[in-house]
Amino acid sequence: MSFSAQHFQKQLHDLTIDLNHNELFTLTTTHWLVDLSRHYLSRKQLKQLTVWLEHHDFIQQKNQLFDDNILNFTENRPVNHVLLRDSQQIFSCSQHTAMAIDFNRQQIFVNHFHAEQNEITDLLTIGIGGSHLGPNLITDALKEFCSTKLKTHYLTGTDPYELSAIFKQLNPKTTLVFVASKSFSTLETLWNYQQIKAWFELELASSATKHFIAITNNQDKALSMGFLKEYIFSVPDSIGGRFSLWSAIGLAMRLSLGEAQYQALLAGAHAMDVHFKEQPLNTNIPVLLAILDLFYGNCLDVQQRAVIPYSHRLRLLVPHLQQVEMESNGKSVDIMGDTVPYRTGLAVWGGVGPNSQHSFHQWFYQGTVLTPIDFIALQGNSAYPDFEQLLLSQCLAQAKALWEGQSSENAAQATQGGKPSTLFLSKSLNPRSLGELIALYEHKVFSSGLLTNTNTFDQFGVEAGKRQGIAMLAAINDAPSTLDPITENILNHLNDLC
Ligand code: F6P
């Protein structure tokens, strides 16, 4: 029987919540242990839901991700980011020749760069959203695996203070600039590129061009802007921005990691692809996490989920996941174009533990809002095992305390408990384990899209916002009389300030 999101919602609402189910539920992948014991749904109830999904065509829908189907149905595009970490598939299928060529070009570029003597010490990526968040997460979290000869920098928004900081840090002579933009029409990226290009031309004259690499789906525009053809790398239309770190968008990251560690990153993601494709639904971690999100959102009026890595190196994970999750599942219209009558994606926020304990955990303990938490912890392999044991203990303690609560005769000191969480635990943070974790969340948001009959892979809302930005600038500069009354009033009051 075919899947119906409405019918699935009924399955969720028919469940009886038993907070005292006491069922242990721990799943493992190659590098991660994922514990689901502290949730409002028991292992038995989750299995009941996955059996229903099996009987309603969900496995076939899920595994469309591994075919060339048009999954981005509103933009009539296939979705191929999983292909990027399966080089065997890329090179064996004739319809992926272009991808194979891209893959080879990048590999030759990276190997040649590391083989030749050159004076490049800094890699600057100009990009925003998926053209920045994923690569920056990787080079920041995996710094110990990256080249010590290359420093990576990112220039993202239109705050001139970000730009001026780059001017102070870099020397055009020893810097390679990657202009990462799938569309090559993103305002922030184009404005930043113009400034950096002008600076390089001032310093390097005609040789400036050889310091600029374009990474885009819009090759014609890159050529028209003066990029050398051999310095343009392609991002296929079938690779969504928030899923593009595995593509040429991550070229500076690939240079910094080096080919072996980059392949390990891909291998980790591929291991999760295999898990997602082959695991039965009742032990399929991305599917189970998607079910839990939908259950909390639709049966307990939960609107958000916190992600708290107990790892300083994963401090950029939340910004990346915010785009992956909220740009993918922040939807309200289904495949038929009808407004969905249920909650889709949750808001994602968070921070690094144990710092978060001294910031917003009080709100978890005694606040009035139920917020499921993803705790992410590492056993560690550093030179400070005692610190790592403390850090892990702090994470485990928070998950326990929030779930169990603590009674007290003094009501002001009691904590309610019943705060659900998923614990993700790995032995260490390395390219493979991080690749696996990022792919896990990618598959979770795809599963959420399937369960709500929405398109995980478009982002028309944001595109509308982008156009508004351009129109506002034009109105302020050239036609203030066309400004809306509120904006006009705001700007008038601005002039009154000291
Ligand atoms: O935020 C909208 C968006 O299109 C993202 O999906 C994308 O990652 C980002 O802007 C940058 O887009 P581009 O790579 O085309 O510059």
Side-chain angles (χ1 to χ4, degrees), residues 304-372:
Q304 55 190 300
R305 195 180 86 253
V307 178
I308 306 180
Y310 270 66
S311 163
H312 183 69
R313 288 171 294 166
L314 288 177
R315 60 190 176 278
L316 297 183
L317 178 64
V318 169
H320 174 65
L321 291 184
Q322 285 178 318
Q323 187 195 14
V324 172
E325 295 215 29
M326 296 167 80
E327 199 166 83
S328 297
N329 296 144
K331 308 288 166 62
S332 53
V333 168
D334 67 17
I335 193 166
M336 302 308 290
D338 299 325
T339 300
V340 296
Y342 38 72
R343 178 155 290 144
T344 53
L346 304 181
V348 175
W349 61 278
V352 172
N355 313 59
S356 51
Q357 295 172 217
H358 304 272
S359 165
F360 49 76
H361 281 216
Q362 165 61 32
W363 185 77
F364 290 141
Y365 278 106
Q366 295 186 318
T368 55
V369 176
L370 182 65
T371 305

Side-chain angles (χ1 to χ4, degrees), residues 202-382:
L202 206 60
E203 302 283 327
L204 305 175
S206 59
S207 63
T209 309
K210 286 187 181 296
H211 285 252
F212 285 83
I213 290 160
I215 303 161
T216 184
N217 179 253
N218 193 342
Q219 171 154 315
D220 292 343
K221 183 154 185 194
L223 285 169
S224 71
M225 288 167 62
F227 285 87
L228 299 173
K229 188 171 174 50
E230 63 269 30
Y231 285 9
I232 299 174
F233 290 87
S234 172
V235 185
D237 233 357
S238 62
I239 306 299
R242 50 195 174 276
F243 302 97
S244 64
L245 74 88
W246 322 98
S247 75
I249 288 286
L251 191 53
M253 170 196 87
R254 184 171 185 166
L255 266 186
S256 180
L257 274 174
E259 195 59 15
Q261 296 297 359
Y262 175 75
Q263 294 295 339
L265 179 76
L266 295 183
H270 182 62
M272 182 50 69
D273 296 342
V274 173
H275 172 95
F276 183 55
K277 183 175 184 180
E278 299 179 358
Q279 275 296 320
L281 296 186
N282 68 321
T283 55
N284 194 302
I285 296 169
V287 173
L288 294 170
L289 293 176
I291 291 172
L292 284 165
D293 260 15
L294 278 177
F295 166 76
Y296 287 121
N298 286 281
C299 302
L300 290 165
D301 195 26
V302 163
Q303 298 173 20
Q304 55 190 300
R305 195 180 86 253
V307 178
I308 306 180
Y310 270 66
S311 163
H312 183 69
R313 288 171 294 166
L314 288 177
R315 60 190 176 278
L316 297 183
L317 178 64
V318 169
H320 174 65
L321 291 184
Q322 285 178 318
Q323 187 195 14
V324 172
E325 295 215 29
M326 296 167 80
E327 199 166 83
S328 297
N329 296 144
K331 308 288 166 62
S332 53
V333 168
D334 67 17
I335 193 166
M336 302 308 290
D338 299 325
T339 300
V340 296
Y342 38 72
R343 178 155 290 144
T344 53
L346 304 181
V348 175
W349 61 278
V352 172
N355 313 59
S356 51
Q357 295 172 217
H358 304 272
S359 165
F360 49 76
H361 281 216
Q362 165 61 32
W363 185 77
F364 290 141
Y365 278 106
Q366 295 186 318
T368 55
V369 176
L370 182 65
T371 305
I373 300 168
D374 291 359
F375 283 114
I376 300 170
L378 301 160
Q379 186 181 44
N381 55 357
S382 78

Side-chain angles (χ1 to χ4, degrees), residues 13 48 68 70 137 145 209 343 386 424 445 475:
H13 286 279
Q48 179 188 326
D68 238 351
I70 301 293
L137 162 63
F145 297 91
T209 309
R343 178 155 290 144
D386 50 345
F424 299 76
V445 297

